[in-house]
Amino acid sequence: MHLILMGAAAGVLAAGLAAAAEKPAVLEPVVVTATRFKDRYEDKPVNVTVISAGDMQRSAAKTVPDLLAEQAGIHIHDFFGNNAATTTIDLRGFGIGGTQNTLILIDGRRAADLDLSGVQWSALPMTAIERIEIVRGSGAVLYGDGATSGVINIITRSPLAQPTGATLGLRAGSYGMKELQASANYAGERIGFNLTANNFESDGYRANNHNRQSNALADFRVSTGSGEVALKLGTDHQGIRLPGARQVQPSTGVNQLLTDRRGAQTPRDWSQRNGNRMNVDWRHDTGLGEFNLGLGWRDKEQVSYFDFGGFPDFRIANLDVWSFSPRFRATPALPGGKHTLVFGLDWQRWDYRLRRSNAVANIGRPFNTIDAQQETLGFYVQDSLAVSERLTLMAGLRGEQFEIDASDRFDAAAPGGAFGSGAPSGLQRESEKAFELGARYAVTPGAALIAKTGRSYRFANVDEIYETSALFANQFQFLRPQTARHHELGVELRRVSAWMRAALFQMDVRDEIHLDAYTSGIGNTNLPPSRRRGLELEGKWQPQRPLALSGSYTYTDAVFREGVLPGGAFTQTNVAIGGRNVPLVPRHKINLGATWAFGEATRLSLLATYVAKQYMDNDQGNTLGTQIPSYVVADLKLSHREGPWTLSAAINNLFDREYYNYAVRSQFVADRYNAYPLPERNFGVAVEYAFR
């Protein structure tokens, strides 16, 4: 099956290339925010994919991560298949650390935190999204920490760009899934606002995986003539049960993937998450250039209970985040050509508190109270120089200061504290820099060559430094910043009915921050040097009006260049990882999509995805002897519009495959691993009514 998909994807790309070569270049301008300002994409040396609102409507994807997984270079790890709860995104081969190395933004602001809780994907309904911009291998100069493999910016809809009206939608499907969505929009000459709310509930594919999510968003805009003021508010609430994994151990004949695929290993575990956010943006044209001032605040409370076989752990984590981001864009009269200069600063502060106890009733007297304050301050400048109509050069530089101050108050007399410990307080200060050089040369109006090189960095977060010693005493283990060097060559072709992009990339990573599962009492550490190399191909082609085709192919070679993990008394020792593959990175990934329009009102969409086998998490030595199997998953969606009504029906995992895309090797038992199975064939229907 995967050979058929490879051939079909190659056919789509080749046909798109041929069509692009034959037809004249009459192109609509594509506007993106890859420079933190709205810019024409066609004259910038960046590798960008834009997912439009139309693309989202045509896709059978149920969540934002599912939608991203349709793109070249992006792989996801989904633990439960229930509304993207705990789903991680990996761009260009970082495995389970992909979320920490791919910067996720919502309207230009960070969606990830200084802990490992991950992005709350379901807090932003797809109906509230205007477009998604994927900037590969770029972003460290403009955004700083964590933009190692690239930036994904999710941009919400402006009320001033939509008609006045309201919509009401219902969705239902397999595993007791039901969702209610409502939105209202007002667009005046200078003032606009919209409100969006939804409530999602599902029993989930697995036992003990009930999930309920509710969100509300508000966006107020005022056009000032010379700019715009925007106020954005949001709140989200999630409660989810956590089923754990399915265990496999051939030496004892245990294989819960076969005997009890949908069962729960942790029937008592659960988690709750509540968040609020407020952002203010002021955009003003000064006559000398465009000024943008961003102010942001958000909070999060995460409550979780893990039974651990009768040794419970109850936690409440609270987080407040403030941000301040002024920036300016100007076109000064400097020699050499037309300059576009962008410069600014980013200040962010995180206040974090974690309380740990052995029961809900005892959290008033926790045995550990961890406090951490993290602050970053970054300055950047980037110049884009149009040397001629065909050649654009870009250079950027960023410097960033980082500080984290952490403490752990331990109460041995608290319930459950008899065998614990507290970590001595610690303070870490670091400074890092990023740079980027790029060039774009337009061979023809619709064909361009792109070359880039640069440097990025990442700082460890509080969950990555709060670990234990070899004697299992709590301590703060401050890690060196992770750094990477990037190189990329690309070509892009754009025509009326076709688009194609190809890119070769290489990343050399030093001091990668990752879990060392083999060394007892160490936890996260700086790994030996590693390298990611790859090829990305993607294209779209509309051979005739009813039919639209898309295809992509990703090749990723992610290896450790050298090194040995020491191991410990209870695990393997001297695990050689030099030349071994990075876990959870498939070498090949193929997407093939087709959409057929039956007139103006009815559309049928099909997407098939092939993912090659991959080593399991914790198998850095590649010695388990078993890998996550390759799989093919296909999704089908039929939609119809009749007046104010929009109806749709979808079949996900059309061929009823039993598969999983995350598994973790045991570091204590040689042939044991835990896998997280995903839903088999499932169905969904939706209806929406628009009030105009």
Side-chain angles (χ1 to χ4, degrees):
M1 180 71 175
H2 70 275
L3 292 176
I4 296 174
L5 287 176
M6 287 182 68
V12 171
L13 293 171
L17 179 60
E22 291 172 1
K23 294 189 178 182
V26 181
L27 305 174
E28 291 292 329
V30 178
V31 177
V32 297
T33 58
T35 61
R36 299 188 72 164
F37 290 88
K38 291 184 178 181
D39 269 317
R40 286 174 55 93
Y41 164 56
E42 288 79 5
D43 56 2
K44 295 293 181 291
V46 290
N47 177 344
V48 179
T49 297
V50 178
I51 306 173
S52 67
D55 295 330
M56 287 183 270
Q57 292 172 359
R58 288 185 289 271
S59 172
K62 297 183 291 185
T63 66
V64 172
D66 291 337
L67 185 69
L68 293 172
E70 299 177 6
Q71 315 306 315
I74 297 180
H75 181 54
I76 68 171
H77 297 102
D78 192 348
F79 286 70
F80 308 125
N82 192 350
N83 204 34
T86 69
T87 299
T88 65
I89 293 290
D90 182 19
L91 176 59
R92 291 189 166 178
F94 279 86
I96 197 60
T99 297
Q100 283 73 53
N101 289 280
T102 305
L103 186 57
I104 309 298
L105 307 172
I106 298 176
D107 291 325
R109 287 184 172 81
R110 292 171 180 265
D113 292 319
L114 81 163
D115 56 11
L116 291 174
S117 59
V119 175
Q120 182 73 321
W121 296 105
S122 54
L124 189 65
M126 289 176 62
T127 53
I129 300 173
E130 176 184 309
R131 68 184 187 278
I132 301 174
E133 298 174 2
I134 304 167
V135 184
R136 299 172 179 84
S138 226
V141 166
L142 295 176
Y143 293 101
D145 173 35
T148 304
S149 56
V151 175
I152 297 174
N153 192 10
I154 302 169
I155 300 168
T156 58
R157 295 183 175 184
S158 168
L160 293 173
Q162 301 178 70
T164 297
T167 62
L168 180 65
L170 296 170
R171 190 162 66 101
S174 302
Y175 316 120
M177 185 272 289
K178 48 186 177 291
E179 183 176 20
L180 173 64
Q181 297 181 344
S183 66
N185 192 84
Y186 169 78
E189 290 186 7
R190 297 183 58 186
I191 297 176
F193 66 86
N194 63 34
L195 304 172
T196 303
N198 76 309
N199 186 79
F200 172 93
E201 190 168 5
S202 172
D203 294 330
Y205 169 70
R206 301 277 305 283
N208 190 48
N209 194 209
H210 182 269
N211 182 14
R212 182 169 183 176
Q213 174 86 38
S214 58
N215 311 296
L217 306 170
D219 190 336
F220 301 89
R221 307 280 181 107
V222 178
S223 176
T224 62
S226 59
E228 182 182 80
V229 177
L231 171 64
K232 301 176 184 180
L233 307 172
T235 184
D236 58 90
H237 308 276
Q238 181 192 69
I240 186 169
R241 306 287 301 185
L242 304 173
R246 299 285 75 200
Q247 191 176 103
V248 178
Q249 187 178 343
S251 63
T252 59
V254 174
N255 190 339
Q256 293 178 338
L257 287 173
L258 294 177
T259 59
D260 189 13
R261 185 178 182 84
R262 298 177 62 177
Q265 185 180 23
T266 53
R268 297 183 178 181
D269 291 6
W270 53 268
S271 176
Q272 293 179 353
R273 182 166 171 167
N274 303 301
N276 304 283
R277 60 189 181 274
M278 177 177 66
N279 299 317
V280 179
D281 287 286
W282 175 41
R283 179 175 56 83
H284 179 66
D285 189 347
T286 66
L288 299 175
E290 183 179 345
F291 176 74
N292 194 305
L293 176 63
L295 298 169
W297 167 84
R298 59 188 171 90
D299 72 353
K300 179 181 70 175
E301 180 184 67
Q302 184 147 324
V303 183
S304 55
Y305 176 85
F306 303 97
D307 186 65
F308 289 129
F311 297 90
D313 185 290
F314 178 66
R315 304 182 176 204
I316 298 180
N318 295 95
L319 180 69
D320 284 274
V321 186
W322 291 266
S323 64
F324 173 63
S325 300
R327 55 194 183 273
F328 189 76
R329 179 178 63 175
T331 55
L334 298 174
K338 181 181 178 182
H339 293 260
T340 301
L341 194 65
V342 174
F343 58 91
L345 69 86
D346 294 311
W347 173 83
Q348 296 183 88
R349 178 184 171 93
W350 292 263
D351 284 341
Y352 173 85
R353 170 169 287 192
L354 171 64
R355 291 173 289 161
R356 299 179 59 194
S357 184
N358 65 345
V360 176
N362 297 329
I363 196 64
R365 188 177 181 182
F367 51 74
N368 282 105
T369 301
I370 298 96
D371 287 287
Q373 293 79 41
Q374 178 176 307
E375 190 170 325
T376 61
L377 178 62
F379 297 88
Y380 60 89
V381 59
Q382 181 173 280
D383 184 21
S384 180
L385 170 61
V387 179
S388 67
E389 291 185 359
R390 292 192 172 190
L391 178 62
T392 302
L393 305 178
M394 185 178 69
L397 181 66
R398 182 187 186 97
E400 187 160 351
Q401 297 176 342
F402 164 90
E403 179 179 297
I404 184 168
D405 187 358
S407 65
D408 181 9
R409 297 196 305 275
F410 175 64
D411 184 354
F419 301 100
S421 66
S425 299
L427 173 67
Q428 183 184 23
R429 292 189 179 97
E430 300 284 351
S431 61
E432 273 296 344
K433 62 181 181 298
F435 75 86
E436 187 171 318
L437 301 172
R440 180 185 181 95
Y441 180 73
V443 182
T444 68
L449 302 175
I450 299 172
K452 295 188 299 180
T453 187
R455 184 183 193 271
S456 65
Y457 56 87
R458 179 170 94 81
F459 302 115
N461 61 48
V462 69
D463 281 349
E464 291 172 316
I465 64 172
Y466 185 65
E467 297 291 351
T468 62
S469 69
L471 298 177
F472 300 100
N474 291 328
Q475 59 183 208
F476 293 107
Q477 300 171 351
F478 296 111
L479 303 175
R480 296 184 300 275
Q482 171 188 307
T483 61
R485 286 296 305 270
H486 310 253
H487 310 282
E488 182 171 338
L489 292 173
V491 60
E492 184 174 82
L493 301 173
R494 287 183 177 271
R495 293 294 186 270
V496 175
S497 62
W499 169 78
M500 179 233 174
R501 181 184 66 86
L504 288 167
F505 69 88
Q506 177 173 308
M507 284 186 289
D508 292 313
V509 184
R510 290 189 174 274
D511 292 322
E512 182 173 348
I513 300 166
H514 195 78
L515 176 68
D516 177 2
Y518 294 101
T519 307
S520 300
I522 297 297
N524 290 281
T525 188
N526 291 112
L527 292 177
S530 59
R531 173 173 289 166
R532 276 85 175 166
R533 290 173 170 167
L535 167 67
E536 296 165 349
L537 301 172
E538 61 179 343
K540 297 179 181 180
W541 179 41
Q542 189 169 8
Q544 50 183 316
R545 188 174 182 182
L547 179 64
L549 302 175
S550 63
S552 69
Y553 168 72
T554 305
Y555 171 82
T556 309
D557 179 29
V559 297
F560 297 105
R561 298 170 62 187
E562 58 185 66
V564 175
L565 300 181
F570 305 103
T571 64
Q572 299 181 46
T573 57
N574 298 320
V575 180
I577 64 173
R580 303 296 197 269
N581 291 281
V582 175
L584 297 176
V585 180
R587 185 153 292 193
H588 306 279
K589 176 175 171 286
I590 303 163
N591 291 304
L592 181 64
T595 300
W596 184 274
F598 300 90
E600 295 293 329
T602 307
R603 182 172 54 234
L604 180 67
S605 301
L606 172 68
L607 175 74
T609 298
Y610 164 77
V611 178
K613 61 185 179 180
Q614 49 197 299
Y615 288 96
M616 297 183 185
D617 200 6
N618 284 358
D619 192 16
Q620 282 89 349
N622 300 169
T623 58
L624 178 61
T626 300
Q627 298 183 49
I628 297 175
S630 62
Y631 57 88
V632 175
V633 177
D635 300 323
L636 188 68
K637 179 181 178 180
L638 177 66
S639 60
H640 176 73
R641 188 176 65 255
E642 187 70 34
W645 294 93
T646 301
L647 310 172
S648 65
I651 306 175
N652 296 97
N653 195 355
L654 178 65
F655 302 116
D656 202 26
R657 303 298 190 197
E658 292 186 346
Y659 76 106
Y660 54 94
N661 56 32
Y662 180 77
V664 56
R665 177 184 185 174
S666 169
Q667 65 265 49
F668 304 113
V669 181
D671 67 334
R672 178 187 296 170
Y673 63 90
N674 287 330
Y676 291 75
L678 293 173
E680 294 140 53
R681 184 188 296 122
N682 58 93
F683 307 88
V685 295
V687 57
E688 181 182 282
Y689 185 85
F691 302 87
R692 302 298 185 194

